[in-house]
């Protein structure tokens, strides 16, 4: 009986998680998540990574953010790695850096993608992001308004 009740409770918890995942993406339209996983999940708290994964799967917008100044290591590398560990694809990590902030801050008509007439703000990386989200930390050039402002 004890074994059966544990199974029943586990099924109930799974059902509750599934209901949460099935949330309508429209409910997240005016909400964005900036997870700062380097701080929240740095000690392996899988629950935080699962919450980020579930939010992304439900259609929620994730924006890249860090706690620069809080941590002396200002490299975004660990944040990219944790986003990937949470189940985000390299395309979702890229969107968190580009299109999602543009959508959230209502600037998608001029930012967030490469196209004629858009703001010419570009970061050139030296590694193919299909090899892993860590590639986004391999910055070679930063271009603002069409001018190279930084070479790394």
């Amino acid at each position: 009986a004890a074994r059966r009740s544990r199974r029943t409770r586990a099924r109930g918890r799974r059902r509750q998680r599934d209901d949460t995942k099935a949330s309508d993406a429209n409910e997240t339209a005016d909400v964005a998540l900036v997870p700062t996983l380097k701080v929240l999940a740095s000690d392996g708290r899988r629950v935080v990574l699962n919450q980020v994964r579930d939010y992304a799967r439900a259609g929620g917008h994730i924006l890249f953010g860090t706690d620069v100044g809080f941590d002396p290591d200002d490299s975004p590398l660990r944040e990219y790695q944790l986003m990937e560990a949470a189940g985000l694809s390299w395309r979702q990590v890229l969107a968190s850096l580009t299109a999602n902030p543009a959508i959230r801050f209502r600037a998608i008509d001029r930012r967030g993608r490469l196209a004629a007439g858009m703001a010419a703000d570009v970061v050139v990386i030296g590694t193919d992001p299909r090899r892993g989200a860590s590639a986004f930390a391999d910055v070679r050039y930063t271009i603002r308004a069409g001018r190279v402002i930084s070479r790394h």
Side-chain angles (χ1 to χ4, degrees):
R3 180 179 280 166
R4 184 172 284 166
S5 66
R6 271 186 267 163
R7 281 187 200 150
T8 302
R9 285 193 306 267
R11 258 188 246 125
R13 285 191 300 272
R14 276 195 302 276
R15 227 178 269 124
Q16 186 178 17
R17 282 194 307 265
D18 291 343
D19 290 345
T20 302
K21 287 180 201 175
S23 296
D24 183 18
N26 290 331
E27 291 177 15
T28 62
D30 290 329
V31 176
L33 176 66
V34 184
T36 58
L37 293 171
K38 188 174 172 183
V39 173
L40 298 175
S42 61
D43 63 356
R45 285 182 275 179
R46 188 74 212 173
V47 68
V48 175
L49 299 177
N50 291 343
Q51 289 170 341
V52 171
R53 180 202 61 221
D54 292 346
Y55 182 78
R57 285 183 181 169
H61 283 170
I62 295 180
L63 309 182
F64 183 81
T66 65
D67 281 335
V68 170
F70 175 78
D71 184 342
D73 175 16
D74 63 357
S75 169
L77 176 62
R78 186 68 182 137
E79 190 74 16
Y80 298 141
Q81 293 168 335
L82 287 166
M83 291 173 84
E84 193 169 54
L88 274 65
S89 69
W90 71 268
R91 290 179 189 272
Q92 289 172 303
V93 175
L94 177 62
S96 79
L97 295 159
T98 57
N100 290 353
I103 291 166
R104 178 69 187 133
F105 297 109
R106 293 173 175 81
I108 195 66
D109 60 328
R110 60 191 179 284
R111 299 191 182 286
R113 59 193 172 95
L114 296 174
M118 302 291 279
D121 299 341
V122 180
V123 173
V124 178
I125 58 176
T127 304
D128 186 342
R130 292 177 294 189
R131 301 180 98 196
S134 296
F136 294 112
D138 185 17
V139 175
R140 300 299 171 94
Y141 299 97
T142 303
I143 302 168
R144 173 101 179 155
R147 291 185 34 242
V148 174
I149 62 169
S150 179
R151 296 182 200 293
H152 305 273

